[in-house]
């Protein structure tokens, strides 16, 4: 590598970026389109690759340089300390905790341009449209859930609710009093018995029916089409169902 690739404005571009994107893709981290432009998705892929390889957290940066390239092309080997860290990072933790950890990483991510539904999660899923459930799908797939499939099954909240009610595809409805951190919460924000929004439960329902959730495509000005990943405070009155993922 003759230069270190990083997120800049305007973005870096060229054959070396295309090469880096291909190397990251082959390693198994998602870079979005292989388009020769070093944007947010490619930067995140660099950070994820370094995390998996066992870099110390202070060096997990959204950049692609000679050192990372050598690890990915096999000309350099991980140090013992890197191997230890990498092994520790792949040790399984409960699915709900993993999902919450992943969802937290994306708080503040916005669609661009505003109102376009173009965002990491819709690009990844393969459908450009309202993306609250695509965000949930992304988090669960990345956490290793077998219930979710990229580009399939659930991008539309009523379909998820129907499967949960029938205990299909690894989903099951749970009562509000039994809902736990990492469960899915489906809303009917219009109070018409139709599921129209979804989030990941962050804090359980309290005695007053209040809870918090991490949600995609929301904002304080537009609950279900706000274009951002946010932590929202909600009340049980807007919930149509809590759903547990069992695989």
């Amino acid at each position: 590598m003759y230069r270190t690739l990083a997120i800049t404005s305007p973005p870096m571009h060229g054959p070396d970026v295309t090469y880096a994107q291909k190397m990251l893709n082959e390693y198994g981290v998602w870079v979005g389109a292989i388009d020769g432009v070093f944007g947010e998705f490619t930067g995140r892929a660099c950070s994820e690759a370094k995390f998996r390889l066992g870099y110390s957290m202070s060096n997990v940066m959204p950049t692609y340089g000679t050192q990372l390239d050598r690890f990915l092309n096999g000309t350099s080997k991980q140090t013992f300390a890197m191997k230890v860290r990498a092994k520790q990072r792949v040790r399984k933790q409960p699915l709900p905790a993993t999902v919450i950890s992943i969802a937290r990483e994306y708080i503040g991510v916005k669609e661009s341009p505003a109102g376009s539904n173009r965002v990491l999660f819709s690009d990844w899923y393969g459908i450009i449209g309202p993306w609250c459930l695509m965000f949930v799908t992304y988090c669960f797939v990345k956490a290793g859930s077998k219930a979710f499939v990229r580009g399939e099954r659930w991008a539309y909240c009523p379909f998820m609710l129907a499967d949960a009610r029938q205990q299909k595809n690894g989903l099951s409805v749970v009562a509000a009093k039994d809902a736990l951190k990492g469960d899915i919460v489906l809303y009917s924000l219009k109070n018409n018995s139709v599921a129209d929004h979804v989030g990941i439960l962050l804090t359980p329902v309290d005695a007053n029916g209040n809870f918090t959730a991490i949600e995609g495509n929301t904002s304080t000005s537009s609950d279900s089409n706000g274009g951002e990943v946010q932590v929202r405070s909600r009340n049980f009155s807007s919930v149509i169902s809590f759903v547990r993922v069992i695989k």
Side-chain angles (χ1 to χ4, degrees):
M1 300 293 297
Y2 73 92
R3 61 175 177 168
T4 296
L5 304 174
I7 297 173
T8 59
S9 181
M12 301 175 77
H13 59 88
D16 54 344
V17 178
T18 301
Y19 165 79
Q21 290 174 327
K22 289 179 178 179
M23 293 299 294
L24 290 161
N25 191 58
E26 289 176 8
Y27 183 65
V29 292
W30 189 72
V31 299
I34 297 177
D35 56 6
V37 178
F38 198 98
E40 177 188 355
F41 299 167
T42 305
R44 285 183 179 273
C46 292
S47 295
E48 184 174 347
K50 291 175 181 178
F51 182 81
R52 290 190 193 180
L53 284 164
Y55 277 59
S56 63
M57 288 307 299
S58 61
N59 291 320
V60 176
M61 304 293 288
T63 58
Y64 192 104
T66 300
Q67 184 186 58
L68 177 58
D69 185 54
R70 286 176 176 168
F71 284 128
L72 296 185
N73 67 28
T75 56
S76 291
K77 303 298 182 184
Q78 294 160 284
T79 65
F80 177 76
M82 290 177 69
K83 290 179 179 178
V84 170
R85 285 192 291 263
K87 187 175 181 179
Q88 290 173 338
R89 289 168 182 172
V90 298
R91 286 178 181 170
K92 290 186 176 180
Q93 61 176 334
L95 179 64
T98 305
V99 168
I100 289 293
S101 294
I102 291 167
R104 284 184 183 276
E105 294 177 19
Y106 297 97
I107 293 171
V109 169
K110 299 179 181 180
E111 60 189 43
S112 180
S116 68
N117 286 314
R118 294 302 301 261
V119 70
L120 185 161
F121 317 106
S122 58
D123 283 347
W124 170 86
Y125 194 89
I127 297 175
I128 303 304
W131 50 274
C132 58
L133 188 45
M134 297 182 209
F135 167 69
V136 171
T137 296
Y138 179 90
C139 293
F140 274 89
V141 167
K142 195 170 180 183
S145 171
K146 303 303 181 185
F148 291 78
V149 182
R150 177 182 178 183
E152 298 180 20
R153 198 162 287 169
W154 303 303
Y156 182 53
C157 294
F159 291 167
M160 169 175 274
L161 179 60
D163 278 2
R165 284 174 169 171
Q166 297 176 51
Q167 297 187 334
K168 290 175 59 178
N169 295 315
L171 303 183
S172 180
V173 169
V174 294
K177 65 181 179 61
D178 298 320
L180 301 173
K181 183 176 180 177
D183 283 340
I184 293 170
V185 52
L186 284 160
Y187 304 97
S188 180
L189 296 173
K190 296 178 182 178
N191 293 312
N192 60 1
S193 299
V194 176
D196 55 18
H197 190 55
V198 66
I200 300 169
L201 191 63
L202 184 59
T203 58
V205 182
D206 66 19
N208 296 314
N210 299 317
F211 62 91
T212 60
I214 304 176
E215 302 169 11
N217 201 18
T218 190
S219 70
T220 54
S221 60
S222 179
D223 281 332
S224 62
N225 196 27
E228 185 174 351
V229 179
Q230 293 186 348
V231 175
R232 299 300 308 276
S233 296
R234 301 288 193 185
N235 185 269
F236 177 70
S237 60
S238 63
V239 174
I240 193 168
S241 184
F242 290 98
V243 174
R244 181 155 301 155
V245 180
I246 56 177
K247 67 176 183 177

